[in-house]
Amino acid sequence: MSLPSLSPASASTAAPTQAALLDFVRRAAADAELIASLPLDPEGRTWVRLAGPGGSEAWLIGWPPGTGTGWHDHADSVGAFVTAAGELKENALAARLPTDGWKTLELSDGVDRERRLGTGQGRAFGWHHVHEVLNESSDRHAVSVHAYYPPLPRIRRYSRTGQTLRLEQVERPQDWQ
């Protein structure tokens, strides 16, 4: 799906900043026709790829009640997301983790952050931001818009038990086909 009306005003070839990605996802989330066009599945998440600014990767995502991503990061990409409908909860770690070469980490006390993002609310984040996103509603879908730059080279998935974070899997774009 192409969103020419949401492209940046200037035709700059510079990499989009976190602020530019956040501006893009805010504008996309405010597009009622776009949000209504997403097919929603009662069982699993749905998504449609969007044309993001400056070569970024962007997605419109539908979240059935009770679904979430699990703990993950976006490796070397910066990103932003905004809730377009419903409410999402983001649990995040306020800690800089090593980028490679580990399987298990013991997290310090006080690293957990929680945000509740209602319709129109969102955030930008930097490289190696570890988080999980959840729709905790028992009866209502949520919809969100996400953008990443550079396009996702990999996603690292984690499990968490108490203060122990364990790297479980590294996914690459070919794994998502």
Side-chain angles (χ1 to χ4, degrees), residues 116-170:
R116 295 205 175 265
L117 303 166
T119 300
Q121 296 179 315
R123 67 178 314 255
F125 52 86
W127 297 282
H128 308 288
H129 174 70
V130 178
H131 69 165
E132 67 175 347
V133 179
L134 309 158
N135 176 7
E136 293 187 321
S137 173
S138 62
D139 62 353
R140 186 171 176 209
H141 265 79
V143 176
S144 57
V145 181
H146 303 245
Y148 311 98
Y149 188 86
L152 295 172
R154 60 188 169 148
I155 292 178
R156 292 180 296 205
R157 300 214 174 262
Y158 305 97
S159 62
R160 178 152 182 208
T161 305
Q163 294 301 100
T164 303
L165 188 70
R166 183 180 318 279
L167 176 63
E168 296 292 346
Q169 181 178 11
V170 177

Side-chain angles (χ1 to χ4, degrees), residues 8-33:
S10 67
S12 170
T13 58
T17 63
Q18 290 177 41
L21 294 175
L22 185 57
D23 178 64
F24 170 81
V25 296
R26 280 187 174 139
R27 289 184 290 129
D31 183 334
E33 187 176 328

Side-chain angles (χ1 to χ4, degrees), residues 64-82:
T67 59
T69 61
W71 287 96
H72 68 283
D73 71 18
H74 304 101
D76 300 317
S77 296
V78 297
F81 72 99
V82 167

